[in-house]
Amino acid sequence: MLVLLPPSEGKAASGRGAPLKPEALSLPALAAARTQVLDELVELCVADEEKARDVLGLSEGLRDEVAKNAGLRTAGARPAGEIYTGVLYDALGLATLDAAARRRARKSLLVFSGLWGAVRIDDRIPSYRCSMGVKLPGLGALGAHWRAPMATALPEAAGDGLVLDLRSSAYAAAWRPKGEIAGRTATVRVLHSQTVDGVEKRSVVSHFNKATKGRIVRGLLESGAAPKDPAGLVGALRDLGYTVEAEAPGRPGKAWALDVVVTEIH
């Protein structure tokens, strides 16, 4: 099973250890594209702070993020699983997984990134600020920049197993499963169900949606569930106590769509 995650907007501080070693990152097919983004991002942030802030969409209060990017090559690096924070990662709680679940996480989790393309949770990276929605002056839109190298790297990473796609739309733009891989891919939407005057109403709540996805991933890792396809994933999630409604694709080359329906927000 390969689980595709979005990064977090906010990130933990870089460590004090050795700096980034790009050649040591997973998915070597992305190496050249990573170098292009890293080179332009660092150059932009070193040369013109105001332009960099505009390109990255940063408010005045986030001005320090430009300096952070300018020092990416020398900043200390930490495992990506420690760099990414926020609602989904708090609920996932990588640091508190037992040894077996942690091994599964290292093997199955892949975090998408505007700067790195995608990384494993044990890949050592510095803290940075560069979302997939950024358009760099030289390279253009990062979502488009990553499509060609991702088309090589991701099918290899997916192998012949299930792909659980929990990315937001901006990060999904960098790679969309096609053909046979799409048929064993499942996307998940979390819906909050409420009954008002005898009528059920459902809504998507962003914060809660992220937290539930984090708990879903944690539950799968802790249980040792190893679904081979979307239908098996539906069963695994139901075994974990989730209410799941599944929609198989209407034609080949499309992913499964799963709705996880919950009645409590926490």
Side-chain angles (χ1 to χ4, degrees), residues 16-27:
R16 292 186 177 183
L20 171 72
K21 295 181 179 179
E23 70 278 5
L25 296 178
S26 302
L27 307 182

Side-chain angles (χ1 to χ4, degrees), residues 128-211:
Y128 68 96
R129 189 68 172 241
C130 184
S131 72
M132 191 66 79
V134 164
K135 293 183 180 180
L136 291 175
L139 293 177
L142 291 180
H145 170 75
W146 285 112
R147 284 178 199 144
M150 287 285 186
T152 298
L154 265 293
E156 181 179 346
D160 59 2
L162 168 72
V163 178
L164 173 54
D165 190 352
L166 301 178
R167 298 171 296 165
S168 57
S169 58
Y171 290 89
W175 181 68
R176 298 187 189 280
K178 296 180 180 179
E180 183 270 336
I181 296 178
R184 49 187 167 87
T185 297
T187 62
V188 172
R189 180 176 62 166
V190 180
L191 298 177
H192 179 217
S193 173
Q194 293 177 292
T195 300
V196 180
D197 295 330
V199 178
E200 183 193 27
K201 295 185 177 181
R202 294 181 175 182
S203 60
V204 176
V205 183
S206 178
H207 178 98
F208 173 67
N209 170 61
K210 293 176 182 177

Side-chain angles (χ1 to χ4, degrees), residues 16-132:
R16 292 186 177 183
L20 171 72
K21 295 181 179 179
E23 70 278 5
L25 296 178
S26 302
L27 307 182
L30 302 179
R34 285 172 177 148
T35 297
Q36 289 177 303
V37 180
L38 179 62
D39 286 349
E40 183 169 353
L41 180 62
V42 171
E43 181 180 350
L44 171 67
C45 291
V46 168
D48 191 332
E49 181 179 288
E50 290 305 318
K51 182 177 180 181
R53 198 158 62 84
D54 182 60
V55 168
L56 297 172
L58 301 177
S59 66
E60 175 66 31
L62 294 174
R63 181 179 292 272
D64 288 349
E65 298 291 286
V66 176
K68 178 193 293 185
N69 285 346
L72 283 172
R73 290 195 180 90
T74 57
R78 297 169 61 182
E82 297 176 13
I83 290 290
Y84 295 114
T85 59
V87 176
L88 188 153
Y89 292 91
D90 286 347
L92 172 53
L94 288 169
T96 60
L97 291 174
D98 63 31
R102 179 75 186 195
R103 286 194 297 271
R104 297 182 194 107
R106 288 196 296 266
K107 182 178 179 180
S108 63
L109 303 188
L110 199 61
V111 184
F112 272 60
S113 162
L115 174 52
W116 315 114
V119 292
R120 301 281 187 184
I121 61 167
D122 277 358
D123 283 334
R124 297 182 67 85
I125 58 174
S127 186
Y128 68 96
R129 189 68 172 241
C130 184
S131 72
M132 191 66 79

